[in-house]
Amino acid sequence: MKHNEENEPRRQMSLHEVRAYMICNFDRPLNVTTLATLANLSPSYFGDSFKKAYGQSVMDYVTSLRINHAKRLLRETDMKLREIAKTIGYSDEFYFSRKFKKEVGVSPSAYERASERKVAVYSPSLLGHLMVLGIIPVAAPLDAKWTPYYYQQYQQQIAVHLKAVETPWKDDDQEMMLLAAKPDIVISHIELPETTKQRLSAHGIDVLILQCSGWREQLREGASYTGKEAACNSWIAFYEAKAAAVRADLQSVLKQEKFAIIRLYRDGIHLYNNKAIKELLCDDLQLSLVEEETEPCNRPITLEQLASLDPERILLFVCLDESTRINWLTLQHHSLWTGLRAVQNGHLYPLPSNPWYEYSPVAMNRMLDEMLLMITGKSPNAIQGVVHGAPFLREL
C-alpha cells in the first residue's frame, strides 16, 4: 500500500477520523500512543474512548483490519504467506500465522483450502435464501417478535443477532455487530451506502448485492457466489414438483372460484397484493383473483365495492393495532359483509404476516403448505419447522 503526504495527518482528528486513518494505514506501524497523538488525547483516554465508541480496543481493531485483509488476499490471490504478512504490516510470517490462527480459528493455509466462507445477511428474508442452500450465517436479523420462525429454529446457531427491523445502513451499532461476527461475505438485496461498503472492504469483507428480482434468480445468484449451485438446483426442482402437486389438489377443489386478498387497516378496507402472494397464487398455483393486479397493491375499496365483487374465497389480513381491531369486530356484524359468499360458505381465511409478507424460498414453501391445508384440509407432508440442509431436501 502506497502512502504520500496527502495521507499524513495535519491537524487534530476526531475519533471517527482516527478510525478512518487506521483503515487506510493498517499496514503501517501503529500503536496507541501514536494514534492518541493524532486526536490530541492521552493514550489511556484515547483507548477508553475508542473502545466505547467501536466495541474493540485500538490494537484489536488494527489486528482485525490486518487479519481480515489477509483473508481476502488468501481468497483472491496466489500470494505467498510472507508476501501477505508484509502487505498487511507484519514483518514476520510466523507471527502472522499465529495471529491469524488465534483470530480465525484455523491456520492461513487451512483457511485458503476451505471451500466455504462465513456469510452474513442484512435482510430477514435472505435467511430464507441461505437456509435452503444449507448455509447458516454468522450474523443475521433475528428477533423473537419480528422473525419468530427463524428465531425459534436458529437462535442458538447464529452467533450475532442483528436488528430484525430493517434500518438504514447509517447505524454504527449494527455495523459494529456485523464486524464482530467476522464474515467473509455480506449479502444484501438493498444497496449499501458507499462509505459502509468501503469500511467493510477495508475489513476484508466482500459485499454481494443481489441484482435479480425473482426469488429463484436471487437464489441462483447467491448459490453461484457461495458455491452452492447443486443445492440450489435441487431445491428449486423440489419446489416446482411440490407446487405442481399442490396446484392439482387445489384446482380439483376450487374449479373456477376466485379469490380476493383483503387487508384491513384502521377504518379502511384494502384490496391487497404483494410480490410473494401474487407469484404464489397466480403463477405457481394458477388461481384467479377477482381483480388481476400486475403490480403489488394496497388499494382502498368500499364494502359496497367488495360486495359487488363478491369473491368465492377471501384471504384476510387484519392489522394488529386497536383501531383496526375495532373496525374488524364491527365489520363482522355488517349485513354486506355477512352476505358475502366467502363469509356465508366459511371460505374466509385470516392470515398472519408471517410468512405471507416475506419473499423468500422458505416463505414460498411455507405458503404452499398453508394453502393446501386451508383449502383442502390435507396436512402437508413437509417436516414442519426443519428447513436447513439435508433434512429438508429429503422431501425430494
Side-chain angles (χ1 to χ4, degrees), residues 276-323:
I277 295 173
K278 181 183 184 303
E279 191 172 303
L280 180 83
L281 267 60
C282 299
D283 299 339
D284 297 342
L285 298 179
Q286 297 177 8
L287 303 178
S288 299
L289 303 180
V290 288
E291 289 194 6
E292 295 294 341
E293 298 283 349
T294 57
E295 299 293 335
C297 72
N298 189 32
R299 178 161 56 86
I301 62 170
T302 65
L303 183 55
E304 289 74 18
Q305 289 171 323
L306 179 59
S308 68
L309 293 172
D310 200 15
E312 287 92 350
R313 309 264 175 168
I314 293 177
L315 303 181
L316 178 67
F317 296 97
V318 180
C319 294
L320 299 179
D321 60 284
E322 183 178 357
S323 60

mmCIF file of all heavy atoms in Angstrom, residues 276-323:
data_model
loop_
_atom_site.group_PDB
_atom_site.id
_atom_site.type_symbol
_atom_site.label_atom_id
_atom_site.label_comp_id
_atom_site.label_asym_id
_atom_site.label_seq_id
_atom_site.Cartn_x
_atom_site.Cartn_y
_atom_site.Cartn_z
ATOM 1 N N ALA A 276 -44.903 -11.790 -3.175
ATOM 2 C CA ALA A 276 -44.931 -13.208 -2.825
ATOM 3 C C ALA A 276 -46.303 -13.822 -3.067
ATOM 4 O O ALA A 276 -46.422 -14.903 -3.657
ATOM 5 C CB ALA A 276 -44.523 -13.384 -1.360
ATOM 6 N N ILE A 277 -47.347 -13.137 -2.603
ATOM 7 C CA ILE A 277 -48.703 -13.685 -2.733
ATOM 8 C C ILE A 277 -49.117 -13.775 -4.193
ATOM 9 O O ILE A 277 -49.677 -14.784 -4.639
ATOM 10 C CB ILE A 277 -49.701 -12.827 -1.932
ATOM 11 C CG1 ILE A 277 -49.382 -12.910 -0.445
ATOM 12 C CG2 ILE A 277 -51.125 -13.283 -2.189
ATOM 13 C CD1 ILE A 277 -50.208 -11.974 0.420
ATOM 14 N N LYS A 278 -48.859 -12.721 -4.948
ATOM 15 C CA LYS A 278 -49.243 -12.740 -6.359
ATOM 16 C C LYS A 278 -48.532 -13.863 -7.103
ATOM 17 O O LYS A 278 -49.135 -14.590 -7.893
ATOM 18 C CB LYS A 278 -48.939 -11.402 -7.024
ATOM 19 C CG LYS A 278 -49.353 -11.373 -8.494
ATOM 20 C CD LYS A 278 -48.992 -10.084 -9.165
ATOM 21 C CE LYS A 278 -49.514 -10.084 -10.595
ATOM 22 N NZ LYS A 278 -48.999 -11.233 -11.397
ATOM 23 N N GLU A 279 -47.235 -14.004 -6.853
ATOM 24 C CA GLU A 279 -46.475 -15.037 -7.544
ATOM 25 C C GLU A 279 -46.952 -16.422 -7.143
ATOM 26 O O GLU A 279 -47.082 -17.324 -7.985
ATOM 27 C CB GLU A 279 -44.986 -14.871 -7.224
ATOM 28 C CG GLU A 279 -44.070 -15.711 -8.081
ATOM 29 C CD GLU A 279 -42.614 -15.363 -7.859
ATOM 30 O OE1 GLU A 279 -42.252 -14.184 -8.049
ATOM 31 O OE2 GLU A 279 -41.840 -16.273 -7.477
ATOM 32 N N LEU A 280 -47.237 -16.608 -5.853
ATOM 33 C CA LEU A 280 -47.697 -17.906 -5.377
ATOM 34 C C LEU A 280 -49.051 -18.261 -5.976
ATOM 35 O O LEU A 280 -49.225 -19.337 -6.565
ATOM 36 C CB LEU A 280 -47.791 -17.903 -3.852
ATOM 37 C CG LEU A 280 -48.264 -19.231 -3.255
ATOM 38 C CD1 LEU A 280 -47.115 -20.209 -3.111
ATOM 39 C CD2 LEU A 280 -48.946 -19.016 -1.913
ATOM 40 N N LEU A 281 -50.037 -17.345 -5.819
ATOM 41 C CA LEU A 281 -51.393 -17.656 -6.259
ATOM 42 C C LEU A 281 -51.523 -17.693 -7.774
ATOM 43 O O LEU A 281 -52.056 -18.655 -8.333
ATOM 44 C CB LEU A 281 -52.381 -16.647 -5.662
ATOM 45 C CG LEU A 281 -53.041 -17.039 -4.327
ATOM 46 C CD1 LEU A 281 -51.998 -17.244 -3.241
ATOM 47 C CD2 LEU A 281 -54.068 -16.009 -3.916
ATOM 48 N N CYS A 282 -51.026 -16.657 -8.429
ATOM 49 C CA CYS A 282 -51.282 -16.524 -9.861
ATOM 50 C C CYS A 282 -50.316 -17.341 -10.718
ATOM 51 O O CYS A 282 -50.729 -17.941 -11.715
ATOM 52 C CB CYS A 282 -51.229 -15.058 -10.272
ATOM 53 S SG CYS A 282 -52.458 -14.033 -9.435
ATOM 54 N N ASP A 283 -49.038 -17.366 -10.348
ATOM 55 C CA ASP A 283 -48.047 -18.044 -11.186
ATOM 56 C C ASP A 283 -47.870 -19.509 -10.795
ATOM 57 O O ASP A 283 -48.022 -20.406 -11.630
ATOM 58 C CB ASP A 283 -46.699 -17.322 -11.097
ATOM 59 C CG ASP A 283 -46.782 -15.884 -11.591
ATOM 60 O OD1 ASP A 283 -47.712 -15.560 -12.339
ATOM 61 O OD2 ASP A 283 -45.907 -15.084 -11.204
ATOM 62 N N ASP A 284 -47.582 -19.757 -9.522
ATOM 63 C CA ASP A 284 -47.274 -21.124 -9.111
ATOM 64 C C ASP A 284 -48.519 -22.003 -9.002
ATOM 65 O O ASP A 284 -48.486 -23.175 -9.370
ATOM 66 C CB ASP A 284 -46.544 -21.119 -7.764
ATOM 67 C CG ASP A 284 -45.197 -20.401 -7.835
ATOM 68 O OD1 ASP A 284 -44.687 -20.215 -8.962
ATOM 69 O OD2 ASP A 284 -44.659 -20.019 -6.778
ATOM 70 N N LEU A 285 -49.614 -21.436 -8.496
ATOM 71 C CA LEU A 285 -50.832 -22.223 -8.297
ATOM 72 C C LEU A 285 -51.896 -21.974 -9.360
ATOM 73 O O LEU A 285 -52.908 -22.679 -9.407
ATOM 74 C CB LEU A 285 -51.410 -21.948 -6.903
ATOM 75 C CG LEU A 285 -50.492 -22.325 -5.733
ATOM 76 C CD1 LEU A 285 -51.143 -21.982 -4.402
ATOM 77 C CD2 LEU A 285 -50.115 -23.807 -5.785
ATOM 78 N N GLN A 286 -51.675 -20.952 -10.194
ATOM 79 C CA GLN A 286 -52.580 -20.636 -11.317
ATOM 80 C C GLN A 286 -54.026 -20.452 -10.856
ATOM 81 O O GLN A 286 -54.972 -20.920 -11.483
ATOM 82 C CB GLN A 286 -52.477 -21.719 -12.396
ATOM 83 C CG GLN A 286 -51.089 -21.810 -13.008
ATOM 84 C CD GLN A 286 -50.942 -22.917 -14.022
ATOM 85 O OE1 GLN A 286 -51.923 -23.566 -14.408
ATOM 86 N NE2 GLN A 286 -49.720 -23.158 -14.471
ATOM 87 N N LEU A 287 -54.194 -19.756 -9.741
ATOM 88 C CA LEU A 287 -55.513 -19.410 -9.233
ATOM 89 C C LEU A 287 -55.923 -18.045 -9.764
ATOM 90 O O LEU A 287 -55.091 -17.283 -10.260
ATOM 91 C CB LEU A 287 -55.505 -19.422 -7.703
ATOM 92 C CG LEU A 287 -55.059 -20.745 -7.056
ATOM 93 C CD1 LEU A 287 -55.041 -20.615 -5.540
ATOM 94 C CD2 LEU A 287 -55.953 -21.907 -7.493
ATOM 95 N N SER A 288 -57.193 -17.714 -9.636
ATOM 96 C CA SER A 288 -57.717 -16.461 -10.181
ATOM 97 C C SER A 288 -58.076 -15.494 -9.065
ATOM 98 O O SER A 288 -58.629 -15.896 -8.025
ATOM 99 C CB SER A 288 -58.959 -16.737 -11.032
ATOM 100 O OG SER A 288 -58.648 -17.574 -12.129
ATOM 101 N N LEU A 289 -57.781 -14.219 -9.290
ATOM 102 C CA LEU A 289 -58.176 -13.161 -8.378
ATOM 103 C C LEU A 289 -59.371 -12.421 -8.962
ATOM 104 O O LEU A 289 -59.568 -12.390 -10.181
ATOM 105 C CB LEU A 289 -57.015 -12.182 -8.157
ATOM 106 C CG LEU A 289 -55.712 -12.778 -7.620
ATOM 107 C CD1 LEU A 289 -54.660 -11.684 -7.465
ATOM 108 C CD2 LEU A 289 -55.933 -13.490 -6.298
ATOM 109 N N VAL A 290 -60.162 -11.783 -8.075
ATOM 110 C CA VAL A 290 -61.334 -11.055 -8.554
ATOM 111 C C VAL A 290 -60.937 -9.894 -9.448
ATOM 112 O O VAL A 290 -61.653 -9.536 -10.383
ATOM 113 C CB VAL A 290 -62.204 -10.553 -7.386
ATOM 114 C CG1 VAL A 290 -62.925 -11.704 -6.714
ATOM 115 C CG2 VAL A 290 -61.377 -9.770 -6.383
ATOM 116 N N GLU A 291 -59.807 -9.276 -9.143
ATOM 117 C CA GLU A 291 -59.272 -8.216 -9.991
ATOM 118 C C GLU A 291 -57.780 -8.469 -10.149
ATOM 119 O O GLU A 291 -57.026 -8.419 -9.183
ATOM 120 C CB GLU A 291 -59.524 -6.830 -9.395
ATOM 121 C CG GLU A 291 -60.985 -6.413 -9.457
ATOM 122 C CD GLU A 291 -61.158 -4.921 -9.191
ATOM 123 O OE1 GLU A 291 -60.143 -4.206 -9.074
ATOM 124 O OE2 GLU A 291 -62.311 -4.491 -9.086
ATOM 125 N N GLU A 292 -57.352 -8.746 -11.364
ATOM 126 C CA GLU A 292 -55.946 -9.032 -11.607
ATOM 127 C C GLU A 292 -55.128 -7.756 -11.464
ATOM 128 O O GLU A 292 -55.451 -6.726 -12.041
ATOM 129 C CB GLU A 292 -55.761 -9.614 -13.018
ATOM 130 C CG GLU A 292 -56.436 -10.960 -13.203
ATOM 131 C CD GLU A 292 -55.815 -12.055 -12.354
ATOM 132 O OE1 GLU A 292 -54.668 -11.873 -11.902
ATOM 133 O OE2 GLU A 292 -56.477 -13.082 -12.131
ATOM 134 N N GLU A 293 -54.098 -7.837 -10.666
ATOM 135 C CA GLU A 293 -53.182 -6.712 -10.464
ATOM 136 C C GLU A 293 -51.803 -7.115 -10.975
ATOM 137 O O GLU A 293 -51.280 -8.156 -10.602
ATOM 138 C CB GLU A 293 -53.101 -6.334 -8.979
ATOM 139 C CG GLU A 293 -54.420 -5.881 -8.378
ATOM 140 C CD GLU A 293 -54.793 -4.469 -8.772
ATOM 141 O OE1 GLU A 293 -53.936 -3.778 -9.342
ATOM 142 O OE2 GLU A 293 -55.936 -4.070 -8.508
ATOM 143 N N THR A 294 -51.242 -6.301 -11.851
ATOM 144 C CA THR A 294 -49.926 -6.622 -12.395
ATOM 145 C C THR A 294 -48.810 -6.258 -11.425
ATOM 146 O O THR A 294 -47.713 -6.779 -11.521
ATOM 147 C CB THR A 294 -49.688 -5.888 -13.725
ATOM 148 O OG1 THR A 294 -49.831 -4.472 -13.506
ATOM 149 C CG2 THR A 294 -50.705 -6.342 -14.766
ATOM 150 N N GLU A 295 -49.089 -5.367 -10.485
ATOM 151 C CA GLU A 295 -48.096 -4.930 -9.513
ATOM 152 C C GLU A 295 -48.645 -5.094 -8.096
ATOM 153 O O GLU A 295 -49.862 -5.146 -7.902
ATOM 154 C CB GLU A 295 -47.722 -3.458 -9.748
ATOM 155 C CG GLU A 295 -47.110 -3.167 -11.113
ATOM 156 C CD GLU A 295 -45.741 -3.802 -11.281
ATOM 157 O OE1 GLU A 295 -45.069 -4.042 -10.245
ATOM 158 O OE2 GLU A 295 -45.346 -4.069 -12.429
ATOM 159 N N PRO A 296 -47.775 -5.191 -7.093
ATOM 160 C CA PRO A 296 -48.261 -5.189 -5.713
ATOM 161 C C PRO A 296 -49.147 -3.977 -5.454
ATOM 162 O O PRO A 296 -48.895 -2.896 -5.980
ATOM 163 C CB PRO A 296 -46.965 -5.125 -4.893
ATOM 164 C CG PRO A 296 -45.930 -5.735 -5.779
ATOM 165 C CD PRO A 296 -46.317 -5.339 -7.172
ATOM 166 N N CYS A 297 -50.192 -4.164 -4.665
ATOM 167 C CA CYS A 297 -51.116 -3.044 -4.441
ATOM 168 C C CYS A 297 -51.648 -3.080 -3.015
ATOM 169 O O CYS A 297 -51.577 -4.101 -2.324
ATOM 170 C CB CYS A 297 -52.270 -3.086 -5.441
ATOM 171 S SG CYS A 297 -53.473 -4.408 -5.135
ATOM 172 N N ASN A 298 -52.186 -1.969 -2.606
ATOM 173 C CA ASN A 298 -52.865 -1.825 -1.325
ATOM 174 C C ASN A 298 -53.946 -0.774 -1.548
ATOM 175 O O ASN A 298 -53.921 0.299 -0.970
ATOM 176 C CB ASN A 298 -51.864 -1.404 -0.242
ATOM 177 C CG ASN A 298 -52.457 -1.449 1.141
ATOM 178 O OD1 ASN A 298 -53.320 -2.272 1.438
ATOM 179 N ND2 ASN A 298 -52.019 -0.540 2.002
ATOM 180 N N ARG A 299 -54.906 -1.115 -2.393
ATOM 181 C CA ARG A 299 -55.866 -0.143 -2.920
ATOM 182 C C ARG A 299 -57.131 -0.099 -2.064
ATOM 183 O O ARG A 299 -57.788 -1.125 -1.865
ATOM 184 C CB ARG A 299 -56.212 -0.506 -4.361
ATOM 185 C CG ARG A 299 -57.248 0.400 -5.013
ATOM 186 C CD ARG A 299 -57.192 0.287 -6.519
ATOM 187 N NE ARG A 299 -57.345 -1.064 -6.993
ATOM 188 C CZ ARG A 299 -58.522 -1.650 -7.210
ATOM 189 N NH1 ARG A 299 -59.651 -1.006 -6.961
ATOM 190 N NH2 ARG A 299 -58.568 -2.889 -7.679
ATOM 191 N N PRO A 300 -57.486 1.086 -1.555
ATOM 192 C CA PRO A 300 -58.715 1.186 -0.760
ATOM 193 C C PRO A 300 -59.953 0.849 -1.595
ATOM 194 O O PRO A 300 -60.055 1.255 -2.754
ATOM 195 C CB PRO A 300 -58.731 2.656 -0.320
ATOM 196 C CG PRO A 300 -57.323 3.134 -0.477
ATOM 197 C CD PRO A 300 -56.775 2.370 -1.642
ATOM 198 N N ILE A 301 -60.860 0.103 -1.006
ATOM 199 C CA ILE A 301 -62.159 -0.143 -1.629
ATOM 200 C C ILE A 301 -63.225 -0.028 -0.548
ATOM 201 O O ILE A 301 -62.940 -0.167 0.648
ATOM 202 C CB ILE A 301 -62.247 -1.525 -2.308
ATOM 203 C CG1 ILE A 301 -62.077 -2.653 -1.279
ATOM 204 C CG2 ILE A 301 -61.246 -1.665 -3.431
ATOM 205 C CD1 ILE A 301 -62.387 -4.039 -1.840
ATOM 206 N N THR A 302 -64.435 0.206 -0.962
ATOM 207 C CA THR A 302 -65.534 0.283 -0.009
ATOM 208 C C THR A 302 -66.134 -1.110 0.194
ATOM 209 O O THR A 302 -65.908 -2.028 -0.606
ATOM 210 C CB THR A 302 -66.628 1.229 -0.524
ATOM 211 O OG1 THR A 302 -67.197 0.668 -1.724
ATOM 212 C CG2 THR A 302 -66.060 2.620 -0.825
ATOM 213 N N LEU A 303 -66.899 -1.247 1.255
ATOM 214 C CA LEU A 303 -67.579 -2.514 1.495
ATOM 215 C C LEU A 303 -68.569 -2.801 0.375
ATOM 216 O O LEU A 303 -68.758 -3.965 -0.027
ATOM 217 C CB LEU A 303 -68.293 -2.467 2.849
ATOM 218 C CG LEU A 303 -69.009 -3.749 3.301
ATOM 219 C CD1 LEU A 303 -68.046 -4.937 3.296
ATOM 220 C CD2 LEU A 303 -69.603 -3.560 4.698
ATOM 221 N N GLU A 304 -69.175 -1.740 -0.166
ATOM 222 C CA GLU A 304 -70.114 -1.911 -1.284
ATOM 223 C C GLU A 304 -69.390 -2.457 -2.519
ATOM 224 O O GLU A 304 -69.914 -3.331 -3.232
ATOM 225 C CB GLU A 304 -70.786 -0.579 -1.618
ATOM 226 C CG GLU A 304 -71.799 -0.090 -0.573
ATOM 227 C CD GLU A 304 -71.153 0.446 0.702
ATOM 228 O OE1 GLU A 304 -69.926 0.764 0.647
ATOM 229 O OE2 GLU A 304 -71.837 0.560 1.739
ATOM 230 N N GLN A 305 -68.182 -1.942 -2.774
ATOM 231 C CA GLN A 305 -67.413 -2.442 -3.916
ATOM 232 C C GLN A 305 -67.008 -3.896 -3.715
ATOM 233 O O GLN A 305 -67.036 -4.691 -4.656
ATOM 234 C CB GLN A 305 -66.178 -1.567 -4.124
ATOM 235 C CG GLN A 305 -66.468 -0.182 -4.653
ATOM 236 C CD GLN A 305 -65.236 0.714 -4.646
ATOM 237 O OE1 GLN A 305 -64.409 0.640 -3.728
ATOM 238 N NE2 GLN A 305 -65.118 1.572 -5.654
ATOM 239 N N LEU A 306 -66.635 -4.238 -2.489
ATOM 240 C CA LEU A 306 -66.286 -5.621 -2.206
ATOM 241 C C LEU A 306 -67.495 -6.528 -2.399
ATOM 242 O O LEU A 306 -67.379 -7.629 -2.954
ATOM 243 C CB LEU A 306 -65.754 -5.746 -0.778
ATOM 244 C CG LEU A 306 -65.370 -7.160 -0.313
ATOM 245 C CD1 LEU A 306 -64.285 -7.753 -1.204
ATOM 246 C CD2 LEU A 306 -64.915 -7.144 1.144
ATOM 247 N N ALA A 307 -68.672 -6.042 -1.976
ATOM 248 C CA ALA A 307 -69.886 -6.834 -2.136
ATOM 249 C C ALA A 307 -70.220 -7.050 -3.613
ATOM 250 O O ALA A 307 -70.715 -8.110 -4.001
ATOM 251 C CB ALA A 307 -71.056 -6.147 -1.420
ATOM 252 N N SER A 308 -69.925 -6.052 -4.438
ATOM 253 C CA SER A 308 -70.200 -6.209 -5.876
ATOM 254 C C SER A 308 -69.238 -7.206 -6.521
ATOM 255 O O SER A 308 -69.603 -7.906 -7.462
ATOM 256 C CB SER A 308 -70.103 -4.857 -6.581
ATOM 257 O OG SER A 308 -68.762 -4.382 -6.587
ATOM 258 N N LEU A 309 -68.021 -7.295 -5.992
ATOM 259 C CA LEU A 309 -67.082 -8.301 -6.491
ATOM 260 C C LEU A 309 -67.477 -9.699 -6.004
ATOM 261 O O LEU A 309 -67.328 -10.677 -6.730
ATOM 262 C CB LEU A 309 -65.659 -7.976 -6.005
ATOM 263 C CG LEU A 309 -65.015 -6.708 -6.553
ATOM 264 C CD1 LEU A 309 -63.688 -6.432 -5.833
ATOM 265 C CD2 LEU A 309 -64.775 -6.823 -8.051
ATOM 266 N N ASP A 310 -67.940 -9.769 -4.773
ATOM 267 C CA ASP A 310 -68.462 -10.982 -4.149
ATOM 268 C C ASP A 310 -67.610 -12.225 -4.441
ATOM 269 O O ASP A 310 -68.081 -13.183 -5.066
ATOM 270 C CB ASP A 310 -69.901 -11.229 -4.604
ATOM 271 C CG ASP A 310 -70.648 -12.166 -3.655
ATOM 272 O OD1 ASP A 310 -70.161 -12.382 -2.520
ATOM 273 O OD2 ASP A 310 -71.691 -12.712 -4.055
ATOM 274 N N PRO A 311 -66.375 -12.245 -3.960
ATOM 275 C CA PRO A 311 -65.477 -13.377 -4.254
ATOM 276 C C PRO A 311 -65.929 -14.650 -3.541
ATOM 277 O O PRO A 311 -66.562 -14.609 -2.482
ATOM 278 C CB PRO A 311 -64.137 -12.897 -3.707
ATOM 279 C CG PRO A 311 -64.498 -11.946 -2.611
ATOM 280 C CD PRO A 311 -65.737 -11.236 -3.082
ATOM 281 N N GLU A 312 -65.574 -15.797 -4.149
ATOM 282 C CA GLU A 312 -65.888 -17.072 -3.510
ATOM 283 C C GLU A 312 -64.957 -17.368 -2.335
ATOM 284 O O GLU A 312 -65.352 -18.090 -1.406
ATOM 285 C CB GLU A 312 -65.779 -18.213 -4.529
ATOM 286 C CG GLU A 312 -66.890 -18.277 -5.562
ATOM 287 C CD GLU A 312 -66.548 -17.513 -6.830
ATOM 288 O OE1 GLU A 312 -65.528 -16.781 -6.825
ATOM 289 O OE2 GLU A 312 -67.290 -17.641 -7.816
ATOM 290 N N ARG A 313 -63.731 -16.823 -2.382
ATOM 291 C CA ARG A 313 -62.770 -17.063 -1.317
ATOM 292 C C ARG A 313 -62.090 -15.742 -0.955
ATOM 293 O O ARG A 313 -61.798 -14.927 -1.834
ATOM 294 C CB ARG A 313 -61.690 -18.057 -1.761
ATOM 295 C CG ARG A 313 -62.236 -19.350 -2.374
ATOM 296 C CD ARG A 313 -62.332 -20.445 -1.370
ATOM 297 N NE ARG A 313 -62.963 -21.641 -1.945
ATOM 298 C CZ ARG A 313 -62.978 -22.841 -1.379
ATOM 299 N NH1 ARG A 313 -62.357 -23.015 -0.210
ATOM 300 N NH2 ARG A 313 -63.575 -23.867 -1.940
ATOM 301 N N ILE A 314 -61.816 -15.550 0.343
ATOM 302 C CA ILE A 314 -61.128 -14.333 0.796
ATOM 303 C C ILE A 314 -59.947 -14.714 1.677
ATOM 304 O O ILE A 314 -60.097 -15.471 2.641
ATOM 305 C CB ILE A 314 -62.080 -13.405 1.586
ATOM 306 C CG1 ILE A 314 -63.175 -12.840 0.680
ATOM 307 C CG2 ILE A 314 -61.286 -12.248 2.220
ATOM 308 C CD1 ILE A 314 -64.190 -11.962 1.405
ATOM 309 N N LEU A 315 -58.788 -14.194 1.327
ATOM 310 C CA LEU A 315 -57.623 -14.235 2.205
ATOM 311 C C LEU A 315 -57.573 -12.898 2.926
ATOM 312 O O LEU A 315 -57.549 -11.846 2.287
ATOM 313 C CB LEU A 315 -56.342 -14.455 1.411
ATOM 314 C CG LEU A 315 -56.267 -15.708 0.531
ATOM 315 C CD1 LEU A 315 -54.918 -15.779 -0.177
ATOM 316 C CD2 LEU A 315 -56.505 -16.969 1.340
ATOM 317 N N LEU A 316 -57.566 -12.927 4.257
ATOM 318 C CA LEU A 316 -57.764 -11.702 5.038
ATOM 319 C C LEU A 316 -56.574 -11.418 5.948
ATOM 320 O O LEU A 316 -56.130 -12.274 6.719
ATOM 321 C CB LEU A 316 -59.025 -11.840 5.893
ATOM 322 C CG LEU A 316 -59.368 -10.662 6.814
ATOM 323 C CD1 LEU A 316 -59.736 -9.429 6.002
ATOM 324 C CD2 LEU A 316 -60.486 -11.038 7.768
ATOM 325 N N PHE A 317 -56.083 -10.180 5.869
ATOM 326 C CA PHE A 317 -55.063 -9.684 6.786
ATOM 327 C C PHE A 317 -55.688 -8.588 7.650
ATOM 328 O O PHE A 317 -56.283 -7.645 7.119
ATOM 329 C CB PHE A 317 -53.869 -9.102 6.029
ATOM 330 C CG PHE A 317 -53.115 -10.104 5.209
ATOM 331 C CD1 PHE A 317 -53.373 -10.245 3.857
ATOM 332 C CD2 PHE A 317 -52.157 -10.910 5.799
ATOM 333 C CE1 PHE A 317 -52.682 -11.168 3.090
ATOM 334 C CE2 PHE A 317 -51.457 -11.842 5.047
ATOM 335 C CZ PHE A 317 -51.721 -11.979 3.683
ATOM 336 N N VAL A 318 -55.553 -8.729 8.965
ATOM 337 C CA VAL A 318 -56.066 -7.730 9.898
ATOM 338 C C VAL A 318 -54.886 -7.166 10.680
ATOM 339 O O VAL A 318 -54.206 -7.904 11.404
ATOM 340 C CB VAL A 318 -57.095 -8.344 10.870
ATOM 341 C CG1 VAL A 318 -57.605 -7.274 11.833
ATOM 342 C CG2 VAL A 318 -58.253 -8.978 10.107
ATOM 343 N N CYS A 319 -54.606 -5.882 10.508
ATOM 344 C CA CYS A 319 -53.508 -5.260 11.249
ATOM 345 C C CYS A 319 -53.795 -5.325 12.750
ATOM 346 O O CYS A 319 -54.960 -5.375 13.172
ATOM 347 C CB CYS A 319 -53.307 -3.822 10.787
ATOM 348 S SG CYS A 319 -52.733 -3.709 9.078
ATOM 349 N N LEU A 320 -52.753 -5.300 13.545
ATOM 350 C CA LEU A 320 -52.888 -5.618 14.962
ATOM 351 C C LEU A 320 -53.163 -4.422 15.860
ATOM 352 O O LEU A 320 -53.289 -4.588 17.071
ATOM 353 C CB LEU A 320 -51.608 -6.333 15.444
ATOM 354 C CG LEU A 320 -51.299 -7.662 14.750
ATOM 355 C CD1 LEU A 320 -50.006 -8.249 15.296
ATOM 356 C CD2 LEU A 320 -52.448 -8.648 14.909
ATOM 357 N N ASP A 321 -53.259 -3.215 15.287
ATOM 358 C CA ASP A 321 -53.498 -2.051 16.147
ATOM 359 C C ASP A 321 -54.957 -2.033 16.621
ATOM 360 O O ASP A 321 -55.840 -2.675 16.046
ATOM 361 C CB ASP A 321 -53.163 -0.759 15.386
ATOM 362 C CG ASP A 321 -54.011 -0.593 14.149
ATOM 363 O OD1 ASP A 321 -53.746 -1.267 13.135
ATOM 364 O OD2 ASP A 321 -54.972 0.202 14.197
ATOM 365 N N GLU A 322 -55.214 -1.262 17.653
ATOM 366 C CA GLU A 322 -56.525 -1.281 18.306
ATOM 367 C C GLU A 322 -57.641 -0.799 17.402
ATOM 368 O O GLU A 322 -58.726 -1.392 17.358
ATOM 369 C CB GLU A 322 -56.474 -0.422 19.578
ATOM 370 C CG GLU A 322 -57.768 -0.443 20.373
ATOM 371 C CD GLU A 322 -57.681 0.367 21.650
ATOM 372 O OE1 GLU A 322 -56.591 0.899 21.936
ATOM 373 O OE2 GLU A 322 -58.698 0.481 22.348
ATOM 374 N N SER A 323 -57.413 0.280 16.647
ATOM 375 C CA SER A 323 -58.479 0.815 15.798
ATOM 376 C C SER A 323 -58.869 -0.173 14.698
ATOM 377 O O SER A 323 -60.051 -0.288 14.342
ATOM 378 C CB SER A 323 -58.053 2.154 15.182
ATOM 379 O OG SER A 323 -56.894 2.002 14.376
#
